[in-house]
Amino acid sequence: MSEKNSEGKRTARERLIQEREAQKSRDKRRRVLVVASAVVGVLGLAAVAGVVAANSGGKKDDSDKAGPVVVPAGAVGPGKVAIPVGMVDAPSVLTVYEDMRCPACGMFENSMRDTINRLEKAGKIRAEYHLVSFIDNGVRGNGSKYAANALGCAQDAGKFHEYHDVLFRNQPEETDDAFGKKTYLLELAGKVPGLRSATFDACVEKGTHAGWVGAVQADFDKSTYKATPTVLLNGEPIFPQKGSEQISPANLVKWVEAANKGKRVGTKAPEPAAPASAPASAPASGAPAPGGSASKAPASGSASRSPGAAVGR
């Protein structure tokens, strides 16, 4: 009996030790969880603070201030918020919403550029570009706005198409605000023959079209489109696909040919126009896209998202 009692006491003592160790482990895990939760909370607050700091931006110059809406020469559509490229009487319109810092826009532009250029030159399409600038707020910087303003200046000089292509060929990483350096924008403008001039340089440096850039973004904010690139052919979304077909150079040609069947190609080149200085009023939300009726839903698959939400030529 004494041996059995001794064994029983030893077993009970071992169980007690095991329970105490288990309790210590549970207490340790609980402390770790409490500390971890506190750390996550602090990181969360830091992240929020980071977003606030990012949205507040860095040092601003005078070209960021709200001013009169000076519309670039030849801008079209309700509110004059689009820059046209191609024959005025082209039978089809390609509407493109893009942010110059958007990497997805860069992929779209660099893969589709040659095809779009050929269709424009053949008088089969007219492209209309809406230069939005929301990435500056989300990622921090001024590159989207400054590049859009510089493109407005290039439009005044009749060199939008060429400068637009140069900027996308030299597009920095989305988080690199290289386009926020006006000296860099002017350097890239030097790659376009005949673009650099005292007038163009002053337009870029002073932010002549900064108010217009803001109007273009306000128009985009009111639309049903919340991502870039958003690409429409005669008002129908075609990026990243049209129906069940993915966008590609060959498919874009096929879609344009089908849309233009029985129609004459365009032959009327746009006429140079002096930039306007009157404020541009943005069209109401849901207004038809230039050249066609706007879809009520955003083009699925568009990559860069407008605040609250980053493939162009």
Side-chain angles (χ1 to χ4, degrees):
M1 291 292 293
S2 61
E3 290 180 359
K4 290 183 179 180
N5 287 338
S6 178
E7 182 65 26
K9 289 179 180 179
R10 185 165 54 251
T11 301
R13 191 163 50 249
E14 290 174 351
R15 282 201 304 269
L16 181 60
I17 292 173
Q18 290 173 352
E19 289 177 0
R20 286 176 176 173
E21 290 299 323
Q23 184 62 43
K24 288 180 181 179
S25 295
R26 286 193 293 270
D27 291 342
K28 183 178 180 180
R29 285 197 299 271
R30 186 178 297 109
R31 287 194 300 272
V32 169
L33 287 173
V34 169
V35 172
S37 298
V39 171
V40 169
V42 171
L43 290 176
L45 290 174
V48 171
V51 170
V52 172
N55 287 336
S56 67
K59 182 179 180 180
K60 303 289 185 177
D61 65 26
D62 290 341
S63 65
D64 290 318
K65 295 180 180 178
V69 177
V70 181
V71 179
V76 298
K80 306 291 185 182
V81 293
I83 300 295
V85 177
M87 301 300 176
V88 173
D89 55 345
S92 287
V93 177
L94 187 75
T95 306
V96 183
Y97 292 82
E98 59 190 10
D99 188 310
M100 297 307 295
R101 293 180 70 179
C102 162
C105 297
M107 290 174 62
F108 168 79
E109 288 288 343
N110 293 327
S111 63
M112 302 296 294
R113 175 188 299 114
D114 292 343
T115 301
I116 294 174
N117 286 349
R118 286 196 300 270
L119 291 170
E120 289 169 345
K121 290 178 180 178
K124 295 181 178 181
I125 63 169
R126 179 178 74 258
E128 295 185 354
Y129 291 93
H130 298 246
L131 307 174
V132 300
S133 52
F134 62 79
I135 289 179
D136 284 351
N137 293 331
V139 179
R140 183 170 184 169
N142 297 301
S144 298
K145 295 189 291 290
Y146 287 4
N149 172 76
L151 281 166
C153 301
Q155 172 67 8
D156 292 341
K159 300 286 185 178
F160 172 88
H161 182 270
E162 297 89 339
Y163 189 45
H164 176 265
D165 288 354
V166 165
L167 290 184
F168 270 119
R169 286 193 181 100
N170 293 273
Q171 185 189 50
E173 294 292 326
E174 183 180 20
T175 55
D176 179 359
D177 194 31
F179 285 168
K181 299 179 178 66
K182 294 175 182 178
T183 52
Y184 183 56
L185 293 172
L186 291 173
E187 177 187 332
L188 292 179
K191 296 178 180 292
V192 179
L195 178 55
R196 291 292 300 271
S197 69
T199 300
F200 172 81
D201 290 6
C203 182
V204 172
E205 291 167 351
K206 294 179 181 179
T208 298
H209 297 299
W212 174 78
V213 171
V216 175
Q217 180 59 44
D219 174 70
F220 182 68
D221 290 338
K222 293 177 182 178
S223 76
T224 57
Y225 309 120
K226 303 303 178 187
T228 58
T230 288
V231 185
L232 316 170
L233 178 61
N234 297 327
E236 180 182 0
I238 62 170
F239 181 90
Q241 62 188 55
K242 178 178 181 288
S244 60
E245 296 182 300
Q246 296 291 323
I247 193 169
S248 68
N251 277 342
L252 178 59
V253 171
K254 181 178 71 172
W255 299 337
V256 169
E257 294 293 350
N260 291 353
K261 188 174 182 180
K263 301 176 183 178
R264 297 179 62 179
V265 298
T267 57
K268 183 179 179 182
E271 297 179 1
S277 58
S281 58
S285 177
S293 57
S295 168
K296 295 301 180 182
S300 61
S302 298
S304 290
R305 302 284 170 182
S306 186
V311 197
R313 198 175 73 125

